[in-house]
Amino acid sequence: VPTLSCPGFRFAGVAAGIKSTGARDLGLIVAEGPAHAAAVFTRNQVAAAPVIVSRAALARSRGLVRAVVVNSGNANACTGAQGLVAARAMVAATAAAAAAPRREVLVASTGIIGHRLPMPAVRAGIAAAGRSLAPDLAPFADAILTTDRCSKTARRRARLGGTPVRLVGCTKGAGMIAPNMATTLTFVCTDAAVPVATLRGSLAGAVAATFNALTIDGDTSTNDMLLVLASGAARNPRMTAADRRTFARALTAVLDHLAVQLMRGGEGVHHVVTVRVVGARSHAAAATVARSIAPSPLVKTAIAGRDPNWGRVIHAVGYSGARIREEMVDIYFDGRCAAKHGLATDTPITELQRAVSRPKFRLCIDLNLGSGEYNIYTSDLSPEYVVFNREEYALTKQKASS
Amino acid sequence: VPTLSCPGFRFAGVAAGIKSTGARDLGLIVAEGPAHAAAVFTRNQVAAAPVIVSRAALARSRGLVRAVVVNSGNANACTGAQGLVAARAMVAATAAAAAAPRREVLVASTGIIGHRLPMPAVRAGIAAAGRSLAPDLAPFADAILTTDRCSKTARRRARLGGTPVRLVGCTKGAGMIAPNMATTLTFVCTDAAVPVATLRGSLAGAVAATFNALTIDGDTSTNDMLLVLASGAARNPRMTAADRRTFARALTAVLDHLAVQLMRGGEGVHHVVTVRVVGARSHAAAATVARSIAPSPLVKTAIAGRDPNWGRVIHAVGYSGARIREEMVDIYFDGRCAAKHGLATDTPITELQRAVSRPKFRLCIDLNLGSGEYNIYTSDLSPEYVVFNREEYALTKQKASS
C-alpha cells in the first residue's frame, strides 16, 4: 500500500500533451461513492471557467463529489464562452471515465492564461487517466504542478471516536505572497466520515490559519481552488464535539504543512518568514498591519540580503492604514529585539543578522495597543525570483505563437 | 546667470560629512523676503522629526517661508524626542545662518532610518552653506540626493498677465512605486507673485496628476515632502482666473518632468510605464484598478522581460476590489490591443512585444463601464532592483556599527 493513499479514493496522473515538456499534466481523483466535499475558491472577479463550473456544481450537488479532473499547462482562464464549453466537456469526459454522475464531477485548471485548451488531447488524457486509477496519490500530485520544482504532499493520522482515520493532500503553486500569488490548487482526501457541514466549518478555520495567511481567497489568482473530500471509508462513529476539534486540528496541520512547502518551494525563495503582529487594537487591525509588511518589496529584499532592517518594517507599519503609535512599536527578529518603543535597541547587529539568516524565522511586531493578533507568511525577494518571472516569457511567447 | 536660478532665491549645497562618501549632503534655500509656500507631506503615521517640525511651522506661519534646510544621509526618522530636538536645532542654526525668523524656517531630511544626526557636523555644514549661497540651484539639487544616480531638475517659463515668470525645481528619490517608495523630497521655486491660497490650490491639482500617481501622500515614506515657494520677485500683476490656470499648468509640467525623472532614475529601471485605466464606473474605481496593477510584481517582472503578458494585467484588475466585468475588459500596449472583451486578440505578438520593449510606453485598460479615468506611473522590476535593495545592507550595517 503506497504511503500516500486514502481508503475510498483512487488517483491518476498522466501526460496528456497539454504541456510541451511531456510532463504529467492531467490528474483524476475518483471516489468509490459520493464523497462529502467542502471547497474554497478564488474571490478574484476574473475567475477561470473551471472555477465557475466547479463552484456551481458543488452548490447544486450540496457538497457531494464523485470525481475531480485537473489539468496543468493551461489555466482555461480569460477564454470566454468557449472556456466554459471546454470546462463542461472535461466534466462530461470525466463522468464517462469514472462512471460518475456529471453533477458530482468538479474540474480545475492551472497554467497560462488566455489560451484555448487542446480538447482532443485533454479528452484522450482523461480516458487514459481513467484507465490508470490506483490508490497512490503521487502521480496526481505530479500532474497538477506547473512551475513548481517538486511535488508537495502531506499526510496526517488521527482518531475519531477511537477509529483511526487518515488525511492525505497535495498542493501546487509557486511561493508568491498576496496580492500576486500564482495559482494554488490544493486537494485533501480523508477516509473519515464527516458531515458536509462539519467539513465546511473545519475547512473555514483551517484555511484562515494557513492558506489565507498566504492568501487564497483575497487578492489572488483566477484559478485558485482548495478542496477537501471525505469518503467515510473509515466508518468512524458519529462525530462528537471532541472529534470535530480533532479533525479540525488534523486538517489544519495538513494544510499548514502544504502551505509551508508552497512558500519554501517558491521561485528563488531562501527564507520563509512568519510575520506575526500582536498587540493590535483588533484582529482586523493586526491583519491590516501584517498584510502591509508581508508583500513589501523593501522588506523582502532586505530579508534576501539578511539585513535586519527594522526601519523598512516600521515604515510599512506606518503606511498600513491601521491606527498605530510609533512610540509604542516593538520589533523582534526571532525573539531578538531590534526596536523598542519605535527606537533602535542595543541588541548587537550580529545577533539580529543571525536571526534573519535562518531559512525560517519569525518577524514579530508588537503594537502595544491591544490584544489583536495575526500571522502571515512571507518570503524574501531574490534576484532569482525576478529572473524566473521575467523568463516565464519564453513559455508565453511559444504558446502565443503556436 | 545660471540656467537653474530663480529671482528672489539663493541656494547652497555643501559636504557636511553626514555621508561617509564625502558627497554633498546639506542644502539651503534662502528667500530674500518671506516667500509664499505650499507643501504636501507624507501621510505615513510614522513621520520623521523634520516632517513633524516643518508641518507645524508651515501651519503656524500661515504659509510664509524664509529658508529651508535639507540634509541627506540620515533621515532623522524613528529617533524619538531626540530627533525632534535635532530637527529644531537645525531650524535654529539655519535661522541664524540666513538671518531669518525661526518660525519661517523649514527642515527636511532623507537617508537611513533610526540613527541620530551628527549634530556638530550638521551645524558646521549649515554655517558653511550660509556662506556659499548663490543663485544656482544645482549644488542644492546635488545635496538632497541619496541613492540617486544623478540629480533631477526641471524648469519652465510662463507669462502671468504679460509678465514673464519662471519655475525651477529639483527632486530626489529612487524610482519605486507605492506602497514602497523611497523618500521623495521635491522643491519648486518660482518668482511669480502667487497668493498662498492659489499656491495651495495649484499644488493640490498638480500633485494629484503627477507625484500622487507615484505616490507621495498615501502609502509612503516617513520623510516625503514636496514644497513650492513663490518669491514674487517677478512682480506680475494680480492673478486672473486665466493666470491661475497658466500657473497650475506650468507647475504640473515641472512636477511631471521631475516625477518621470524619479521613475527613470530608479534602481534597475529600464521601462517607465503609464498605467492608464479608462471606462471605470468612477474616478475612484479607476484609481483602485490602476493602484492594483502598478505595484504587481508579476506585471512588473513581465515588463522587465518585455513580455506583453495581459493575463497578469487582467488578473490584477480582477483582484483590485473594484467591481468589473471580465467580458468587458480591453487591454492595450501603446495602442495595440492585446485583449478585447476579456479575450486574446489576433494582434501579432511581435507588435505587442515592440510596444513593451520601449523605455517608455502606455498600458491602457478600458473597463467599458463608465467614464472614470486614472493614470499612474510604474516601472519594470528587474534583478538589478533586487540586488540594489538587498545590498543597501552594506550601508545599514556600517552605520549601525559606527
Side-chain angles (χ1 to χ4, degrees), chain A residues 147-210:
Chain A
T147 59
D148 309 69
R149 286 181 297 200
C150 59
S151 71
K152 298 157 179 97
T153 61
R155 61 204 164 92
R156 194 90 182 175
R157 292 174 182 279
R159 280 185 175 267
L160 299 180
T163 307
V165 302
R166 64 172 72 184
L167 299 88
V168 299
C170 61
T171 192
K172 66 82 40 181
M176 297 174 225
I177 196 70
N180 290 293
M181 197 173 187
T183 287
T184 294
L185 298 180
T186 304
F187 303 92
V188 177
C189 294
T190 178
D191 59 355
V194 188
V196 169
T198 304
L199 208 54
R200 285 186 188 142
S202 304
L203 180 62
V207 165
T210 58

Side-chain angles (χ1 to χ4, degrees), chain B residues 14-393:
Chain B
V14 301
I18 307 165
K19 289 176 179 165
S20 57
T21 56
R24 286 196 171 100
D25 51 16
L26 198 134
L28 281 189
I29 303 177
V30 176
E32 276 166 21
H36 288 170
V40 178
F41 296 99
T42 184
R43 287 188 196 158
N44 195 312
Q45 289 177 84
V46 179
V51 168
I52 294 168
V53 168
S54 292
R55 188 153 37 197
L58 200 59
R60 263 199 316 273
S61 78
R62 294 165 192 267
L64 295 185
V65 168
R66 195 78 75 95
V68 185
V69 58
V70 187
N71 78 276
S72 57
N74 186 317
N76 193 11
C78 301
T79 43
Q82 215 132 29
L84 287 169
V85 170
R88 289 189 190 114
M90 286 178 70
V91 166
T94 304
R102 281 165 71 147
R103 61 192 176 81
E104 293 180 4
V105 176
L106 302 186
V107 54
S109 300
T110 177
I112 59 166
I113 286 181
H115 295 273
R116 285 196 207 173
L117 275 170
M119 284 311 293
V122 170
R123 278 201 187 85
I126 291 171
R131 290 188 296 269
S132 67
L133 288 163
D136 189 6
L137 175 73
F140 176 86
D142 280 350
I144 68 174
L145 304 178
T146 51
T147 59
D148 309 68
R149 286 179 300 198
C150 59
S151 70
K152 297 156 180 95
T153 60
R155 62 205 164 93
R156 195 92 181 174
R157 292 175 182 279
R159 279 185 176 268
L160 300 180
T163 307
V165 302
R166 64 172 73 184
L167 299 87
V168 299
C170 61
T171 191
K172 64 83 42 180
M176 295 175 226
I177 196 70
N180 291 293
M181 198 173 186
T183 287
T184 294
L185 297 180
T186 303
F187 304 92
V188 176
C189 295
T190 178
D191 59 355
V194 189
V196 170
T198 304
L199 208 55
R200 284 187 188 141
S202 303
L203 180 62
V207 165
T210 59
F211 273 75
N212 268 356
L214 301 171
T215 89
I216 198 167
D217 67 355
D219 303 335
T220 47
S221 141
T222 50
N223 290 59
D224 291 351
M225 188 185 304
L226 193 162
L227 178 68
V228 181
L229 299 174
S231 70
R235 301 189 170 275
N236 51 288
R238 190 191 161 93
M239 290 171 83
T240 63
D243 289 337
R244 283 193 291 272
R245 283 193 297 274
T246 300
F247 180 74
R249 262 200 308 273
L251 182 58
T252 303
V254 167
L255 292 184
D256 189 59
H257 189 194
L258 293 174
V260 169
Q261 287 178 76
L262 257 195
M263 294 298 302
R264 281 216 184 124
E267 304 124 1
V269 168
H270 307 296
H271 304 271
V272 175
V273 184
T274 304
V275 176
R276 175 166 170 75
V277 175
V278 302
R281 286 197 166 88
S282 64
H283 176 76
T288 299
V289 171
R291 286 171 188 277
S292 176
I293 296 166
S296 157
L298 289 184
V299 171
K300 286 161 71 84
T301 49
I303 296 167
R306 302 178 169 197
D307 175 8
N309 193 323
W310 63 269
R312 293 183 180 181
V313 175
I314 199 167
H315 185 152
V317 171
Y319 68 62
S320 68
R323 274 198 305 145
I324 58 108
R325 288 179 57 195
E326 177 183 349
E327 69 278 16
M328 302 295 279
V329 177
D330 302 337
I331 298 174
Y332 299 83
F333 291 92
D334 254 359
R336 295 291 170 176
C337 189
K340 186 86 188 165
H341 304 325
L343 298 171
T345 62
D346 293 335
T347 310
I349 186 87
T350 49
E351 283 190 22
L352 299 172
Q353 284 164 359
R354 207 172 306 133
V356 178
S357 301
R358 295 185 185 120
K360 198 174 174 195
F361 69 89
R362 177 181 282 186
L363 168 59
C364 181
I365 296 88
D366 191 342
L367 301 176
N368 286 302
L369 297 174
S371 58
E373 297 190 1
Y374 195 80
N375 285 0
I376 191 168
Y377 286 117
T378 191
S379 64
D380 55 327
L381 171 54
S382 67
E384 299 94 288
Y385 165 92
V386 175
V387 168
F388 183 91
N389 281 292
R390 189 183 60 179
E391 293 177 358
E392 206 184 332
Y393 172 41

